[in-house]
């Protein structure tokens, strides 16, 4: 018996990319730095919050390409001439990716108390009813 994939089900026409999207999302979540929260703030609003203590605003970047939201942090190396007796605060770069559904857009971002908040809004599409004419012959 062969395994039926989501994209090959006869009632799910046009959803063949969904399985690849789920696999890509699972790979993007590998690793745990920096920690993050995802909140449902309103009926059509979400907020992603990342712990970015120690990062200046200019060391953070947020890009959106198609449906992939990518948040990166890269701290500048300012350890020149400093002698650490103990170094427990890691200064490492990071990249976090989130796949957004169609119609979800970034409405803003801000850094507050060491947390980066990225606000998302889902636009509600209008209901469209279209009648299809049946041709003869």
């Amino acid at each position: 018996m062969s395994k039926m994939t989501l994209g090959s089900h006869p009632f799910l026409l046009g959803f063949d990319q969904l399985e690849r999207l789920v696999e890509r999302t699972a790979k993007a979540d590998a690793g745990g730095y920096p920690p993050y929260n995802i909140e449902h703030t309103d009926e059509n609003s979400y907020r992603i919050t990342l712990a970015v203590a120690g990062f200046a605003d200019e060391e953070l970047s947020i890009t959106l390409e198609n449906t992939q939201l990518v948040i990166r942090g890269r701290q500048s190396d300012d350890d020149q001439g400093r002698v650490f007796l103990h170094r427990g605060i890691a200064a490492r770069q990071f990249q976090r990716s989130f796949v957004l559904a169609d119609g979800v857009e970034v409405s803003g971002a801000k850094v507050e108390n060491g947390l980066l908040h990225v606000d998302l809004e889902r636009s509600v599409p209008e209901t469209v009813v279209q009648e299809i004419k049946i041709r003869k012959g």
Side-chain angles (χ1 to χ4, degrees), residues 43-59:
E43 185 178 348
N44 295 308
S45 302
Y46 304 91
R47 173 176 270 184
I48 299 171
T49 302
L50 283 85
V52 293
F55 285 87
D57 292 357
E58 59 272 2
E59 295 172 333

Side-chain angles (χ1 to χ4, degrees), residues 46-133:
Y46 304 91
R47 173 176 270 184
I48 299 171
T49 302
L50 283 85
V52 293
F55 285 87
D57 292 357
E58 59 272 2
E59 295 172 333
L60 298 169
S61 71
I62 303 170
T63 57
L64 182 62
E65 183 175 339
N66 295 328
T67 61
Q68 180 126 354
L69 175 70
V70 179
I71 303 170
R72 292 181 179 91
R74 179 183 297 252
Q75 289 182 320
S76 58
D77 187 17
D78 63 351
D79 296 341
Q80 310 296 336
R82 296 171 71 185
V83 177
F84 291 94
L85 300 178
H86 172 75
R87 185 157 190 179
I89 301 173
R92 62 183 185 189
Q93 55 187 328
F94 70 86
Q95 176 174 314
R96 276 277 185 200
S97 298
F98 301 90
V99 179
L100 305 181
D102 289 338
V104 175
E105 298 177 4
V106 177
S107 61
K110 67 179 178 179
V111 176
E112 183 177 60
N113 299 325
L115 299 172
L116 171 63
H117 302 289
V118 180
D119 293 315
L120 308 170
E121 292 284 330
R122 180 179 57 197
S123 59
V124 180
E126 294 180 26
T127 303
V128 177
V129 177
Q130 183 179 11
E131 185 175 336
I132 309 299
K133 300 281 184 188

